[in-house]
Amino acid sequence: MRASCILLCFFMFLAVSSAYPGKKKQYKPCKEFVLYFHDILYNGKNAANATSAIVAAPEGANLTILAGQNHFGNIIVFDDPITLDNNLHSPPVGRAQGMYIYDTKNTFTSWLGFTFALNSTQHQGTISFIGADPILVKSRDISVVGGTGDFFMHRGIATIGTDAFEGDVYFRLHVDIKFYECW
Amino acid sequence: MRASCILLCFFMFLAVSSAYPGKKKQYKPCKEFVLYFHDILYNGKNAANATSAIVAAPEGANLTILAGQNHFGNIIVFDDPITLDNNLHSPPVGRAQGMYIYDTKNTFTSWLGFTFALNSTQHQGTISFIGADPILVKSRDISVVGGTGDFFMHRGIATIGTDAFEGDVYFRLHVDIKFYECW
Amino acid sequence: MRASCILLCFFMFLAVSSAYPGKKKQYKPCKEFVLYFHDILYNGKNAANATSAIVAAPEGANLTILAGQNHFGNIIVFDDPITLDNNLHSPPVGRAQGMYIYDTKNTFTSWLGFTFALNSTQHQGTISFIGADPILVKSRDISVVGGTGDFFMHRGIATIGTDAFEGDVYFRLHVDIKFYECW
């Protein structure tokens, strides 16, 4: 059972007659923090620094240039450093590992499946994310579907934003992780 | 905490002595609706209409024809219109985005990882799905692992069925989404 | 609502004043069992026995040999037999289906997205897994993000270990599945 429920259940039970039943109610995260990760895409020339690579592409495209129609059909595998601030050169607190898929022909969207493997004095454990990412929207929500270690059985929402980018080669993502189910 | 628990917890607590402990018990969804999505696979000739593309294939296969052994090893990336009824030309209420993988050599099965991004007067938000799809079975269950917006923190089961198909190029999926955890 | 909560909620409510709030508390699984699965990777010569295939690779690599830098960028699709013991030739109780991605250049790690489709007298249903797999670590945790059938709405943690391997062609995984949310 979720530890967070022990007290909350009781207070919410007391409060039930006045609880607003509408769907616009706001929940307060039981845990929240912000992390950044940095993706440097392999372009045929930056093997030493690249943290990600195109590994699948639609017919006619290649693996060193993102595909033509808003990169539709590219799958990128990544192992990106995670930092506490927005500086690529800050000491990493873990790695963001998994893949993203460009999945629309007439705009930029991607589908994300990845895991944060955190290994610092502050956090030990993994957090797994799944979701659709409408890249051009300033701030978008994806699902936190599971966790291990310090994040055992956690679930939540991550609000992500593209913090910076340089052409097709570098981008930095700001990830505001809000857990609503803590154990 | 889940809003659905506030009252239910109390009533189930009252009812605990008579609750049937067996695993065959039936749960009632806290929210349920049906949607359709439509997939038109790129075959080298239908670039204008195609909503999906083969982007990975096993050795010896290509990206305009599904692979030989029950398409084993093909990864398809898609951005498919979602409709309220089974008509491809109905106004879309959102997009189904992600991938499916053909993953058996001697029959048709796939592994699904995708998200519904819904944007209509009725629904705003995302629903993410993961699961194994034994395609030839009439009705099969996959997991709803997370949601955002109107589906904030939701979980459930989606029962999917192939509603129609035309060769390798078009199929339509009937998706009965049943949420059992609503917030 | 989770069936496991009916009694537990009540006892935890009684015990709330003495509950230890620290994060090191131990939860007891509501269901636990061990399964094995066996992966035989296609290498260009073992088509008859292979249960998996490389379907994506970074630039310069091919689909019959795992890629150079710790296989970084390879996506493998699999349909592997699941057994109750560690014998490849034991009668399978289901299939492990999905994909793994090698996602680090300077060590062996992978990202897993797969589902157990179980079909035996003991278990009927699916269990879906997502997570980062630091392959060289003896025992590592991934997330159980959903289930269907006997595992309807379940969540938990799977502790996996490489039980055996033979070069790049065969490996066997020991999977200790612990559900902490049973319905």
Side-chain angles (χ1 to χ4, degrees):
Chain A
M1 222 201 93
R2 289 162 297 161
S4 60
C5 178
I6 300 172
L7 276 174
L8 268 177
C9 283
F10 181 57
F11 291 129
M12 292 190 78
F13 166 66
L14 288 183
V16 66
S17 59
S18 62
Y20 176 60
K23 73 184 174 188
K24 295 291 176 200
K25 61 189 166 306
Q26 292 294 319
Y27 293 95
K28 199 176 135 49
C30 43
K31 206 178 284 180
E32 178 174 6
F33 51 84
V34 170
L35 294 170
Y36 295 81
F37 73 94
H38 309 260
D39 190 82
I40 304 169
L41 184 61
Y42 177 64
N43 66 359
K45 296 168 195 162
N46 58 352
N49 296 325
T51 63
S52 68
I54 305 169
V55 303
E59 196 224 357
N62 71 43
L63 300 179
T64 51
I65 302 172
L66 287 164
Q69 295 181 294
N70 295 277
H71 318 333
F72 177 75
N74 277 143
I75 300 182
I76 289 93
V77 170
F78 61 95
D79 168 46
D80 291 348
I82 301 170
T83 55
L84 294 174
D85 60 19
N86 65 8
N87 186 342
L88 169 62
H89 302 293
S90 293
V93 294
R95 310 295 293 187
Q97 301 180 322
M99 61 168 182
Y100 55 92
I101 301 177
Y102 285 103
D103 59 10
T104 310
K105 283 194 280 188
N106 56 6
T107 184
F108 289 104
T109 70
S110 70
W111 191 79
L112 307 173
F114 66 97
T115 298
F116 275 10
L118 297 174
N119 186 10
S120 70
T121 48
Q122 214 170 344
H123 298 302
Q124 298 271 345
T126 70
I127 307 170
S128 288
F129 306 83
I130 293 284
D133 178 7
I135 297 171
L136 300 182
V137 176
K138 195 177 172 196
S139 145
R140 53 265 186 196
D141 284 348
I142 58 172
S143 290
V144 177
V145 297
T148 66
D150 286 354
F151 312 103
F152 173 84
M153 289 293 287
H154 286 38
R155 287 206 311 134
I157 302 287
T159 301
I160 59 178
T162 306
D163 203 51
F165 68 94
E166 288 168 24
D168 279 350
V169 169
Y170 174 76
F171 70 79
R172 178 172 72 227
L173 229 54
H174 173 279
V175 187
D176 182 357
I177 303 172
K178 290 158 281 186
F179 294 108
Y180 295 93
E181 189 164 337
C182 299
W183 283 60
Chain B
M1 221 202 95
R2 288 164 297 161
S4 62
C5 179
I6 300 172
L7 276 173
L8 268 177
C9 284
F10 181 57
F11 292 129
M12 291 189 78
F13 166 65
L14 289 183
V16 66
S17 59
S18 63
Y20 176 62
K23 73 181 173 189
K24 295 291 178 200
K25 61 185 166 307
Q26 291 295 320
Y27 293 95
K28 197 176 138 45
C30 44
K31 203 177 285 179
E32 178 175 6
F33 51 84
V34 170
L35 294 170
Y36 295 81
F37 72 95
H38 307 260
D39 190 83
I40 302 170
L41 184 61
Y42 177 64
N43 65 359
K45 296 167 197 162
N46 59 352
N49 296 324
T51 63
S52 67
I54 305 169
V55 303
E59 195 224 357
N62 71 43
L63 299 180
T64 51
I65 302 172
L66 288 163
Q69 295 180 294
N70 296 277
H71 318 332
F72 177 75
N74 277 143
I75 301 181
I76 289 92
V77 170
F78 61 96
D79 167 44
D80 291 348
I82 301 171
T83 55
L84 294 174
D85 60 20
N86 65 9
N87 187 342
L88 169 61
H89 303 293
S90 294
V93 294
R95 308 295 295 186
Q97 301 181 321
M99 62 166 181
Y100 53 93
I101 302 176
Y102 285 102
D103 60 10
T104 311
K105 284 194 280 187
N106 56 7
T107 184
F108 289 105
T109 69
S110 70
W111 191 79
L112 306 173
F114 66 98
T115 299
F116 274 10
L118 297 174
N119 186 9
S120 70
T121 48
Q122 215 171 344
H123 298 301
Q124 297 272 347
T126 70
I127 307 170
S128 288
F129 305 83
I130 293 286
D133 179 6
I135 297 171
L136 301 182
V137 175
K138 195 177 172 199
S139 147
R140 54 266 186 196
D141 285 348
I142 60 172
S143 290
V144 177
V145 298
T148 67
D150 287 352
F151 312 104
F152 173 83
M153 288 293 288
H154 286 40
R155 286 206 312 134
I157 302 287
T159 301
I160 59 178
T162 306
D163 203 50
F165 67 95
E166 286 167 25
D168 278 350
V169 170
Y170 174 75
F171 70 79
R172 178 173 72 228
L173 230 56
H174 174 278
V175 186
D176 183 358
I177 304 172
K178 289 158 282 188
F179 293 109
Y180 295 93
E181 189 163 338
C182 299
W183 283 58
Chain C
M1 222 201 96
R2 288 163 297 162
S4 61
C5 179
I6 299 171
L7 275 174
L8 269 176
C9 284
F10 181 55
F11 292 129
M12 292 190 77
F13 166 66
L14 288 184
V16 64
S17 60
S18 62
Y20 176 62
K23 72 183 173 188
K24 294 291 177 201
K25 61 187 167 305
Q26 292 295 318
Y27 292 95
K28 196 176 138 46
C30 43
K31 205 178 283 180
E32 179 175 6
F33 50 85
V34 170
L35 293 170
Y36 295 80
F37 72 93
H38 307 261
D39 190 82
I40 303 170
L41 184 61
Y42 178 64
N43 66 359
K45 296 168 195 162
N46 59 353
N49 296 323
T51 64
S52 67
I54 305 168
V55 303
E59 195 225 356
N62 71 43
L63 300 180
T64 51
I65 302 171
L66 289 163
Q69 293 180 297
N70 296 276
H71 318 332
F72 176 75
N74 277 142
I75 300 182
I76 289 94
V77 170
F78 63 94
D79 168 45
D80 291 347
I82 302 171
T83 56
L84 294 173
D85 61 19
N86 66 8
N87 186 342
L88 169 62
H89 303 293
S90 293
V93 295
R95 309 295 294 186
Q97 301 181 322
M99 61 166 182
Y100 54 92
I101 300 176
Y102 285 102
D103 59 10
T104 311
K105 283 195 280 190
N106 56 6
T107 183
F108 289 105
T109 70
S110 70
W111 191 79
L112 306 173
F114 66 97
T115 299
F116 274 11
L118 297 174
N119 186 11
S120 71
T121 48
Q122 215 171 345
H123 298 301
Q124 297 272 346
T126 70
I127 307 169
S128 289
F129 305 83
I130 293 286
D133 178 7
I135 296 170
L136 301 182
V137 176
K138 196 177 172 197
S139 147
R140 54 266 187 194
D141 284 348
I142 60 173
S143 290
V144 177
V145 297
T148 67
D150 288 354
F151 312 103
F152 173 84
M153 290 291 290
H154 286 39
R155 288 207 311 133
I157 301 287
T159 301
I160 59 179
T162 305
D163 203 52
F165 66 94
E166 288 168 24
D168 279 349
V169 170
Y170 174 76
F171 69 80
R172 179 172 71 226
L173 228 56
H174 173 278
V175 186
D176 183 358
I177 303 171
K178 289 159 282 188
F179 295 109
Y180 295 94
E181 188 163 339
C182 299
W183 284 58

